[in-house]
Amino acid sequence: MMIDWANLQSWEVILGILAILLSIIAIIVTIKFRSQKSLSYTIKTNVSLLTVKKEAEDKLEIYFDGKKVHDVYMVVIKLFNSGNVHIGKADISQKIIFTFGDKAQVLSVDIVNTDPENVDVSLVQDDQRVIVIPELLNGGDSITFKVIVNKLDEIKVTGRISGVKEIKKASEWLVPPALVYLSVIFVFVGGFMMIIYADVASWQRIVGVYMFILGYALLIGTALKYPKSRKKFIREFVECAGFSLTD
């Protein structure tokens, strides 16, 4: 069947170009996130527990575990493997160290939880920093720990990991947001074209079927690739489509 290019409407041409561009984007995104080694962290809590005003400093003394304090914060940090390639102890050439400012004083550090529960990790503290020593972090594994700090300034992290450019402060969501929107666009634009051209044997219908299948393939492939973010990915997909989910 030959396409009569002379009689094509401008919107038909636009739809065709859009389908081609979306296909190219899907291929690029799939290649980019095919194998990714990444370590990230997020600050879940950063709250002041105690602040002594300057006018009361000479008259009021407060101690925490034998140490004098006057500006105490509780910081909860989640360190997680945000890629899909495992990170082992042998991959860490320079220790993962969290610092809290030149004048900061780390008072205590405790593990809040790990996901999964059997993640083996050690935490070492000194006056101004916390060293995190994980044995193994598979894709999606996480360590959440709580730090009590006096004179908190700026939270920074350093470390050197094979295959990882830097430890980034990032979202806890492991699935690239672009995949959600691509899936929505492919499925709904493809479905719309299939409905509009259901009774017509046209190239638009073929493009619609192609986009619809590609959208669902992207959805299923992403859910399989990022199993620990599957529920959140599906929730975002549904909400992008204009619906809502309740737990």
Side-chain angles (χ1 to χ4, degrees):
M1 180 179 177
M2 298 295 294
I3 298 175
D4 186 0
W5 295 100
N7 294 325
L8 284 177
Q9 301 295 323
S10 60
W11 65 269
E12 294 174 328
V13 176
I14 293 173
L15 277 178
I17 294 173
L18 179 63
I20 294 172
L21 289 176
L22 289 175
S23 300
I24 294 172
I25 292 172
I27 293 171
I28 293 173
V29 170
T30 301
I31 293 174
K32 182 177 179 180
F33 294 102
R34 178 176 54 190
S35 181
Q36 185 182 37
K37 195 172 187 179
S38 177
L39 186 66
S40 304
Y41 74 98
T42 182
I43 308 298
K44 297 178 68 68
T45 304
N46 185 355
V47 295
S48 175
L49 298 180
L50 172 69
T51 300
V52 179
K53 294 184 179 179
K54 289 186 177 181
E55 55 267 26
E57 286 184 2
D58 296 334
K59 300 179 180 179
L60 179 65
E61 291 186 351
I62 300 175
Y63 291 84
F64 182 97
D65 198 20
K67 299 176 182 178
K68 186 178 178 179
V69 299
H70 64 83
D71 191 12
V72 181
Y73 281 77
M74 180 180 72
V75 181
V76 178
I77 300 172
K78 183 175 184 179
L79 179 70
F80 60 101
N81 185 336
S82 49
N84 47 31
V85 178
H86 74 272
I87 296 174
K89 194 172 182 178
D91 295 318
I92 304 173
S93 58
Q94 293 181 10
K95 295 178 181 179
I96 301 168
I97 300 175
F98 285 85
T99 57
F100 305 90
D102 294 337
K103 297 182 179 180
Q105 184 180 27
V106 176
L107 302 174
S108 70
V109 58
D110 298 287
I111 295 175
V112 177
N113 60 59
T114 62
D115 183 18
E117 293 183 358
N118 62 350
V119 171
D120 189 4
V121 60
S122 300
L123 299 178
V124 179
Q125 75 172 84
D126 60 24
D127 285 344
Q128 294 181 326
R129 61 183 189 169
V130 173
I131 304 172
V132 183
I133 309 172
E135 291 293 330
L136 175 66
L137 290 176
N138 292 316
D141 287 0
S142 67
I143 304 158
T144 303
F145 58 97
K146 176 180 64 178
V147 187
I148 306 298
V149 187
N150 186 37
K151 297 182 180 179
L152 174 67
D153 186 9
E154 184 180 3
I155 301 172
K156 294 182 179 180
V157 61
T158 58
R160 188 72 173 167
I161 300 168
S162 174
V164 177
K165 186 175 182 180
E166 63 177 328
I167 303 172
K168 296 181 179 180
K169 184 178 181 180
S171 167
E172 292 182 50
W173 192 18
L174 305 183
V175 179
L179 296 181
V180 176
Y181 299 109
L182 279 176
S183 298
V184 171
I185 292 172
F186 272 68
V187 170
F188 285 90
V189 172
F192 177 77
M193 292 178 67
M194 289 169 60
I195 293 172
I196 295 298
Y197 297 102
D199 299 325
V200 181
S202 66
W203 69 271
Q204 294 97 327
R205 183 183 178 188
I206 296 174
V207 170
V209 172
Y210 171 72
M211 290 181 66
F212 188 82
I213 293 174
L214 196 57
Y216 263 103
L218 191 61
L219 172 65
I220 295 171
T222 304
L224 293 174
K225 189 178 183 68
Y226 299 90
K228 292 197 175 185
S229 293
R230 187 178 301 149
K231 183 177 180 180
K232 190 166 185 177
F233 176 75
I234 294 174
R235 178 182 291 275
E236 289 289 334
F237 178 88
V238 173
E239 289 179 353
C240 281
F243 300 96
S244 62
L245 291 176
T246 55
D247 293 328

